[in-house]
Amino acid sequence: MEKWSLMTITVLLALTVRWAVSLGSYSGAGKPPMYGDYEAQRHWQEVTYNLPIRQWYFNTSDNNLLYWGLDYPPLTAYHSFVCAYIAKLINPDWIALHTSRGYESQPHKLFMRTTVFVADLLVYIPAVILYCFSLKETSTKKKASICALCILLYPGLILIDHGHFQYPLSLGFALWGVLYLSYDWDLLGSVAFCLALNYKQMELYHSLPFFCYLLGKCFKKGLKGKGLVLLTKIAGTVVVCFAVCWLPFCTDMEQIMQVLRRLFPIDRGLFEACMFSSPPPRLANIWCSLSVLIKIKNIVSPQTQLKLSFAVTFLSLLPTCIKLTVQPSLRGFKFALVSCALSFFLFSFQVHEKSILLVSIPVCLIINEIPFMATWFLLVSTFSMLPLLLKDGLLLAYAVTMLAFLSACVASFSIFEKTSAEDLQLKPFSLSLKGRVSWFKSFPKIVRSLFLLSVTLMGILSLMSAAVHPPQRLPDLFPVSVSIISCLHFLLFLVYFNVVILWDSKNSRSQKKIS
């Protein structure tokens, strides 16, 4: 009972922080004609409620796709319809066709914020709680609550969902998938991930680890026996799940193709996600950072950009995916989620700054294993979205939640005492060097110094971005500095996570249990 009392206090604190952030501004508040993501979500409610399903993804006189046209999979559309149905009962003006465009009021803001709050409470937060209780390392009462507190106080997700405005459902479903797989409920895990993928196509960032882990389990069980049965069951579950989600759009092939065109607008080019930012782009991935020096979109055609990004992304994913398939383990699976999602974020096509959350949530799942590096990464991931958060008027919420999260992690995990090679999961790698690198003995001190330097730099840039006017010749000085510094951090983190995965001896031991 005491265990649940501690967890209840943790959840209440997390909900209080979320509600406090939701009282602030949101994306595009009072900024016609396009407004922002808040208006996009409201507009999808308008479209899904007032138009027949066959028109949801098509450009018509009643559905101008240039004005926040629906570009997420069917589950997002169904969710918008459910929200719209409730909105209609409260105030029909909120979703009136055409006349509700750009609608803003305090009661409507309260309604929209509540829909996010409820989604968080029903899907994401329960998954976090059960995940923390499932961890062997957090079997004691306090440890599970401490782990849950740090995950639920992660500022990036709070600021985007309850500040900027976004629903946490896809990440919540993905987290349920991880939870089910941790209990060897492979079919339920497959269903949960299919729901995540059918809510947001960006869940493709996590698709290869799910695929490779389950395929590896089938291989270990033997493809002539239990493995083949499991593979057949998983394949059938995925097909049925997708068929149910897409059933209303399966009336003709043109419907399906139009939805796919909306989900994957390849013709827009590599930098489409940055099109609302003034140049140079304000995104912490490799292409936007390189574009500061090399104008890639001016010298490389969109088709070549696509091939280049695919090739680099694929090569960066390959070692982790091979290791996970050959040596499937739950621990390796969670680290692979981080590595693969980070590769997608850094190198793939049409990335948005909010996509870093697809890396951050898997990092939250391993915060109990590598608290120092996880805390560092989660701070940098939130910092990388600073230009977006400043644009939304969320500076105060950003500062308070960042400090609260850092304080919680320092107090809960004593992160500065966990910087040895063993604590950072680098002991196998350090043993492979065998004295060839003399500075490895002072590694903990070096890492702590780099962390403090990094946090100081992020703090200074945050203050300057908020309080100092950039030179007239360099109006994007601070946003570009934030993106480049964040990108450099992410590249180093990618190397680190891959080293941990490829030199991990625990995977080869734990995968024997699967077979």
Side-chain angles (χ1 to χ4, degrees):
M1 197 68 187
E2 185 184 347
K3 180 163 68 173
W4 283 104
S5 297
L6 286 169
M7 189 60 79
T8 301
I9 294 169
T10 297
V11 171
L12 288 174
L13 179 59
L15 292 175
T16 302
V17 172
R18 281 160 166 73
W19 194 253
V21 170
S22 73
L23 297 174
S25 184
Y26 51 82
S27 172
K31 295 177 182 176
M34 290 301 290
Y35 299 94
D37 282 359
Y38 175 95
E39 167 62 11
Q41 296 285 350
R42 188 217 58 78
H43 180 65
W44 295 344
Q45 294 174 20
E46 171 195 344
V47 167
T48 53
Y49 188 85
N50 290 289
L51 300 180
I53 289 180
R54 65 179 180 275
Q55 293 184 23
W56 285 0
Y57 290 91
F58 280 87
N59 193 56
T60 66
S61 57
D62 290 326
N63 185 21
N64 181 7
L65 294 182
L66 294 178
Y67 183 80
W68 298 116
L70 192 57
D71 54 5
Y72 283 143
L75 273 188
T76 292
Y78 305 150
H79 177 232
S80 295
F81 177 81
V82 172
C83 292
Y85 184 83
I86 299 169
K88 179 79 172 179
L89 297 175
I90 301 170
N91 187 342
D93 292 342
W94 293 349
I95 57 163
L97 192 62
H98 301 309
T99 58
S100 64
R101 180 173 291 195
Y103 191 100
E104 291 179 297
S105 70
Q106 280 303 313
H108 184 253
K109 178 186 174 185
L110 177 62
F111 167 75
M112 294 290 279
R113 293 297 199 194
T114 303
T115 59
V116 178
F117 197 78
V118 170
D120 217 350
L121 195 56
L122 293 180
V123 178
Y124 179 75
I125 291 177
V128 171
I129 295 169
L130 294 175
Y131 174 79
C132 291
F133 279 139
S134 74
L135 296 173
K136 291 178 183 177
E137 298 89 344
T138 61
S139 55
T140 61
K141 307 167 200 170
K142 276 188 179 178
K143 286 184 178 178
S145 299
I146 285 169
C147 187
L149 178 65
C150 291
I151 294 174
L152 292 175
L153 286 184
Y154 167 54
L157 191 64
I158 295 173
L159 292 168
I160 292 300
D161 288 352
H162 299 272
H164 174 83
F165 199 89
Q166 181 175 277
Y167 291 100
L169 291 175
S170 63
L171 293 171
F173 288 137
L175 188 47
W176 277 104
V178 175
L179 181 64
Y180 287 137
L181 292 188
S182 70
Y183 285 107
D184 286 326
W185 299 342
D186 297 327
L187 299 186
L188 284 176
S190 301
V191 170
F193 185 68
C194 284
L195 293 176
L197 194 54
N198 278 289
Y199 192 88
K200 278 192 178 177
Q201 65 270 36
M202 283 80 79
E203 278 298 327
L204 284 168
Y205 284 32
H206 300 145
S207 59
L208 282 174
F210 271 90
F211 174 79
C212 293
Y213 176 66
L214 290 171
L215 184 63
K217 284 187 74 171
C218 295
F219 284 153
K220 290 299 173 184
K221 289 177 182 291
L223 284 182
K224 290 184 179 179
K226 292 181 179 179
L228 181 60
V229 174
L230 178 60
L231 183 62
T232 304
K233 286 181 178 178
I234 292 171
T237 301
V238 171
V239 170
V240 170
C241 195
F242 267 81
V244 171
C245 290
W246 285 71
L247 190 60
F249 301 94
C250 294
T251 53
D252 62 76
M253 186 55 67
E254 182 56 28
Q255 279 281 340
I256 297 173
M257 294 308 297
Q258 176 62 12
V259 176
L260 291 175
R261 281 192 290 268
R262 292 297 300 163
L263 300 188
F264 305 104
I266 294 171
D267 293 339
R268 296 181 189 174
L270 188 63
F271 301 95
E272 183 272 338
C274 305
M275 68 182 179
F276 294 115
S277 301
S278 55
R282 306 172 181 183
L283 177 64
N285 80 341
I286 194 70
W287 308 118
C288 290
S289 298
L290 280 176
S291 71
V292 176
L293 300 174
I294 306 168
K295 302 303 178 187
I296 298 173
K297 60 183 177 182
N298 293 338
I299 58 176
V300 179
S301 68
Q303 288 301 317
T304 307
Q305 292 172 23
L306 176 62
K307 292 173 185 176
L308 178 64
S309 66
F310 175 80
V312 177
T313 305
F314 177 76
L315 290 173
S316 66
L317 294 168
L318 197 57
T320 296
C321 291
I322 292 174
K323 177 76 181 283
L324 184 60
T325 306
V326 174
Q327 296 180 353
S329 71
L330 187 62
R331 184 175 182 276
F333 168 59
K334 289 188 284 187
F335 273 88
L337 285 171
V338 176
S339 176
C340 291
L342 188 52
S343 290
F344 268 105
F345 178 81
L346 285 169
F347 306 118
S348 68
F349 205 69
Q350 294 178 1
V351 177
H352 194 282
E353 55 262 67
K354 292 182 294 183
S355 299
I356 194 61
L357 297 178
L358 292 157
V359 190
S360 300
I361 298 308
V363 171
C364 287
L365 301 183
I366 55 175
I367 195 169
N368 62 303
E369 295 189 49
I370 47 167
F372 180 83
M373 295 301 283
T375 301
W376 192 356
F377 180 90
L378 294 171
L379 289 171
V380 175
S381 68
T382 307
F383 169 73
S384 72
M385 297 184 287
L386 179 62
L388 178 67
L389 299 173
L390 288 177
K391 185 180 175 184
D392 293 338
L394 295 170
L395 174 63
L396 179 60
Y398 164 80
V400 173
T401 53
M402 285 279 273
L403 289 172
F405 175 73
L406 178 57
S407 302
C409 291
V410 170
S412 302
F413 292 109
S414 304
I415 59 173
F416 292 112
E417 297 172 15
K418 297 181 178 178
T419 55
S420 66
E422 188 172 0
D423 289 323
L424 299 180
Q425 312 289 327
L426 291 174
K427 193 169 184 180
F429 177 68
S430 66
L431 290 174
S432 69
L433 296 176
K434 291 199 174 178
R436 275 177 273 178
V437 182
S438 57
W439 55 263
F440 216 90
K441 292 179 181 178
S442 57
F443 184 70
K445 189 175 180 180
I446 294 171
V447 170
R448 284 195 295 268
S449 300
L450 288 173
F451 175 84
L452 293 173
L453 177 63
S454 170
V455 170
T456 302
L457 185 58
M458 287 190 288
I460 291 171
L461 257 178
S462 296
L463 284 171
M464 293 183 71
S465 298
V468 178
H469 290 289
Q472 286 187 345
R473 291 190 306 110
L474 301 169
D476 292 293
L477 175 63
F478 298 134
V480 170
S481 299
V482 168
S483 68
I484 291 174
I485 288 170
S486 300
C487 182
L488 291 173
H489 276 84
F490 293 147
L491 285 169
L492 292 174
F493 279 118
L494 181 64
V495 172
Y496 165 75
F497 286 120
N498 274 285
V499 167
V500 171
I501 292 167
L502 298 177
W503 268 265
D504 186 18
S505 57
K506 292 181 183 178
N507 284 352
S508 49
R509 290 198 299 270
S510 61
Q511 60 98 21
K512 290 177 185 176
K513 297 177 184 178
I514 295 173
S515 55

